[in-house]
Amino acid sequence: EAGGAALGRAADKLFSLSGLFAVRKPKGPTSAAVLNLLKERLLAEAGVQTNGNKRNQVLKIGHGGTLDSAATGVLVVGIGKGTKMLGTMLAGSKKYTAIGMLGRATDTLDATGKVTEEKPYDQVTKGDLENVLQKFTGDIMQVPPLYSALKKDGERLSTLMKRGEAVEAKPARPVRVYSLSLQQFQPPLFTLDVECGGGFYVRSLVNDIGKELSTCATVQELTRTKQGPFMLEEHALHEDKWTIDEIARSLEHCTTLLLGEPARKKLKTEHPGETAVICE
């Protein structure tokens, strides 16, 4: 009886959770898969049976912006009424650390793809790279990758690409880069810190930098270190903390964070290009 009562309390607590928190997405799974795993964990902890879809209560949970499966870092999660706040996360500022590799291009613009081109890169100096970064700072035009979460006729481009369908590149669109700096240069590898607005693709940036340097480049590793006010080291819950109590604590802590968040002025043309993903 006591066990049942405790589970009942856990379920009540789970379904009363509301707000935004952040998890640390590991490398490998898609953002949607991470969300499903988180949801499964929480429902299991609360002892909520999910036979088919005959749940008496629906756990509303969603994320505020896809991270590539090969990428790691901050994934903002909304739970309960918090799912309505995810749109602001898509448009807000984000920070990334990316390791790029010169001399190689792939179809996905990252290390998971097939190599499509190899070019010499030994002519590229640290100075060349730093000079090129200035061209990619501020309000710039960017063509999103073909392998992306953007949609055509309701289907993700990445899904269409994997099926082998011909996909036309989306037109270039305005994106905003608040800051861009070179952290390390050890050819063929280079490390960038990027702070950008909504709808920005670091993979496209690295690809464009390669072309600008008369070679090619692809993302080797990508980490989102900040999204809105959520910082990777301070706020993102590691997988061992995906529990009802830890999330409740995190939600409490994050309420004050969100109140202090300065509203970035949105570009009139800014369109995150993907909507918050909410699964029920």
Side-chain angles (χ1 to χ4, degrees):
E1 190 54 29
L7 278 177
R9 276 198 301 278
D12 288 345
K13 185 167 186 179
L14 173 59
F15 287 107
S16 70
L17 295 178
S18 188
L20 295 180
F21 64 101
V23 297
R24 188 191 187 106
K25 180 197 166 299
K27 200 171 174 165
T30 62
S31 296
V34 169
L35 209 62
N36 284 331
L37 179 64
L38 173 67
K39 194 170 179 177
E40 259 167 50
R41 287 265 189 94
L42 295 173
L43 290 169
E45 186 192 341
V48 178
Q49 291 298 311
T50 55
N51 348 340
N53 279 341
K54 295 199 183 68
R55 263 170 281 167
N56 34 7
Q57 278 176 298
V58 171
L59 181 62
K60 277 188 85 162
I61 195 165
H63 70 71
T66 305
L67 262 181
D68 298 334
S69 52
T72 168
V74 176
L75 188 65
V76 176
V77 178
I79 192 165
K81 291 198 179 74
T83 51
K84 293 188 172 63
M85 299 153 74
L86 289 168
T88 57
M89 286 295 123
L90 282 165
S93 96
K94 303 160 186 67
K95 281 185 183 172
Y96 296 89
T97 298
I99 300 176
M101 182 188 245
L102 291 167
R104 181 181 293 173
T106 68
D107 56 356
T108 57
L109 312 189
D110 68 13
T112 65
K114 288 196 286 286
V115 177
T116 52
E117 196 180 11
E118 293 195 274
K119 278 184 158 179
Y121 58 84
D122 24 3
Q123 72 284 4
V124 177
T125 66
K126 187 179 181 188
D128 292 337
L129 193 47
E130 286 175 332
N131 287 338
V132 158
L133 295 186
Q134 293 169 12
K135 293 191 180 180
F136 293 99
T137 306
D139 292 332
I140 62 167
M141 296 298 285
Q142 183 187 68
V143 177
L146 287 175
Y147 280 89
S148 73
L150 301 182
K151 292 184 174 172
K152 179 196 172 197
D153 304 330
E155 278 205 279
R156 285 177 186 262
L157 293 185
S158 50
T159 310
L160 296 170
M161 290 289 291
K162 282 172 194 157
R163 275 216 303 268
E165 296 193 20
V167 175
E168 262 177 66
K170 293 259 182 192
R173 52 195 201 162
V175 289
R176 184 168 282 180
V177 179
Y178 295 104
S179 66
L180 178 56
S181 59
L182 181 65
Q183 298 301 314
Q184 265 186 317
F185 183 64
Q186 292 168 305
L189 300 178
F190 60 96
T191 305
L192 301 175
D193 275 352
V194 189
E195 183 174 6
C196 53
F200 183 87
Y201 281 91
V202 178
R203 286 180 291 140
S204 291
L205 169 74
V206 168
N207 183 57
D208 292 343
I209 286 171
K211 286 181 185 159
E212 198 66 41
L213 291 164
S214 308
T215 175
C216 44
T218 189
V219 168
Q220 288 303 103
E221 281 183 44
L222 181 61
T223 305
R224 182 152 64 195
T225 53
K226 185 173 187 275
Q227 183 174 7
F230 298 94
M231 318 264 278
L232 182 57
E233 297 310 325
E234 284 177 56
H235 310 116
L237 297 176
H238 281 258
E239 216 178 310
D240 56 348
K241 297 224 163 115
W242 294 0
T243 64
I244 297 169
D245 285 346
E246 286 289 351
I247 288 169
R249 205 168 300 149
S250 194
L251 287 169
E252 222 165 285
H253 175 61
C254 294
T255 312
T256 50
L257 253 190
L258 292 160
L259 293 172
E261 171 73 345
R264 285 272 193 190
K265 264 180 58 186
K266 277 177 67 173
L267 277 166
K268 273 212 169 60
T269 47
E270 199 168 291
H271 40 113
E274 47 165 337
T275 45
V277 179
I278 298 171
C279 60
E280 294 190 358

